[in-house]
Amino acid sequence: MTLIVLWDIDHTLIDNAGVSKEIYAAAFETVTGARPAKPAVTEGRTDRLIMRGLFRRNGVDEPEWPQVETALAEAGEERREVLRERGTALPGVREALKEASVHEGWVSSVLTGNIAANARVKLAAFGLDGLLDLPVGAYGADAEERPHLVDIARRRIHRDRGLPIDTPVVLVGDTPRDVEAALASGAHVIAVATGVDSPSALAAAGAPVVLPDLADTDRVLRRLEDVERGENVPGTS
């Protein structure tokens, strides 16, 4: 049996303590020469959409994406230490990632709105990067809309790790957009109420499983193994 597990990063694996919005503001300033008057709106969007919205909300024409991505990567790298000081890995994350990383037949990677460079910075800040197969993940520069990232990860894992293209996929995330991305792409989803969205909001978005966090490693692994075996995933709990 095989399984693909794709983890969101911000507010699923780590608390970035506001550093993400500082990265967006710094990137905006780099490419425009001015600080944004209005902050970035994130809510599970990809970096492409977050930055597009930031430019529009501040009345600035959107620059070419390569320029924006470079500015984001520079801003992320500059804040590596402050992220380590202010942020944290969330409860149970390290243990859950360890178990998934050694589970036979599984590929455990990320599906995140962050560009790849900043995903690595955020994970490395808390020593989580070595527990994930990052080269085959899907990132915020790969597509604008989150559902498209699922197929990107599927294809990379099929090509580079040899898993069948129809291998079951589970997204683990904290926002309704994570849930919607899974449902729109034929993936399964485990929602965690570790972000700003309540368990009821995640369930209303369609999540069949809503966990308070990832602290109960056995419970997380049981839910993933249910999908691997093709069993019905239990309801919201």
Side-chain angles (χ1 to χ4, degrees), residues 33-50:
R35 296 287 293 177
K38 297 179 181 179
V41 177
T42 54
E43 298 174 345
R45 294 177 174 86
T46 64
D47 277 0
R48 279 181 176 266
L49 291 184
I50 290 168

Side-chain angles (χ1 to χ4, degrees), residues 6-27:
L6 300 174
W7 310 81
D8 174 53
I9 296 178
D10 292 301
H11 307 296
T12 298
L13 300 181
I14 72 163
D15 180 349
N16 67 61
V19 173
S20 282
K21 290 195 175 181
E22 294 173 11
I23 290 170
Y24 298 129

Side-chain angles (χ1 to χ4, degrees), residues 130-152:
L131 301 175
L132 291 153
D133 192 350
L134 295 180
V136 293
Y139 301 92
D142 292 329
E144 293 186 354
E145 299 293 344
R146 209 171 189 96
H148 299 157
L149 296 178
V150 180
D151 282 336
I152 289 169

Side-chain angles (χ1 to χ4, degrees), residues 13 26 42 46 65 73 81 87 100 115 129 142 160 166 169 180 196 216 219:
L13 300 181
T42 54
T46 64
W65 171 249
E81 290 305 316
I115 62 170
D129 52 324
D142 292 329
D160 297 343
D166 60 351
V169 177
E180 292 158 6
V196 299
D216 188 339
R219 189 182 192 188

Side-chain angles (χ1 to χ4, degrees), residues 2 10 12 26 39 45 60 65 71 77 97 136 157 167 186 193 206 208 218 235:
T2 58
D10 292 301
T12 298
R45 294 177 174 86
V60 175
W65 171 249
E77 183 59 39
L97 293 182
V136 293
I157 292 167
T167 298
D218 289 341

Side-chain angles (χ1 to χ4, degrees), residues 24-219:
Y24 298 129
F28 179 97
E29 184 172 9
T30 295
V31 298
T32 67
R35 296 287 293 177
K38 297 179 181 179
V41 177
T42 54
E43 298 174 345
R45 294 177 174 86
T46 64
D47 277 0
R48 279 181 176 266
L49 291 184
I50 290 168
M51 291 303 294
R52 176 174 297 162
L54 185 59
F55 292 124
R56 288 179 176 175
R57 293 178 73 235
N58 286 276
V60 175
D61 290 337
E62 183 180 1
E64 294 295 322
W65 171 249
Q67 181 184 7
V68 178
E69 184 175 10
T70 297
L72 282 170
E74 290 173 352
E77 183 59 39
E78 289 168 359
R79 284 158 182 79
R80 181 188 293 263
E81 290 305 316
V82 72
L83 176 63
R84 183 179 290 115
E85 293 168 3
R86 285 166 39 191
T88 187
L90 290 170
V93 162
R94 195 176 310 278
E95 294 75 15
L97 293 182
K98 283 181 180 177
E99 291 297 324
S101 71
V102 299
H103 202 293
E104 185 177 358
W106 289 13
V107 171
S108 179
S109 189
V110 295
L111 188 144
T112 175
N114 291 282
I115 62 170
N118 287 350
R120 288 183 179 276
V121 164
K122 290 179 176 182
L123 294 167
F126 308 107
L128 303 176
D129 52 324
L131 301 175
L132 291 153
D133 192 350
L134 295 180
V136 293
Y139 301 92
D142 292 329
E144 293 186 354
E145 299 293 344
R146 209 171 189 96
H148 299 157
L149 296 178
V150 180
D151 282 336
I152 289 169
R154 277 191 178 111
R155 291 195 297 270
R156 285 176 176 162
I157 292 167
H158 172 64
R159 181 192 66 203
D160 297 343
R161 302 294 178 263
L163 267 63
I165 198 68
D166 60 351
T167 298
V169 177
V170 182
L171 269 60
V172 184
D174 68 288
T175 72
R177 279 190 170 83
D178 294 309
V179 177
E180 292 158 6
L183 299 179
S185 60
H188 301 267
V189 62
I190 296 173
V192 287
T194 43
V196 299
D197 292 289
S198 67
S200 59
L202 295 167
V209 175
V210 182
L211 303 179
D213 52 37
L214 297 172
D216 188 339
T217 305
D218 289 341
R219 189 182 192 188

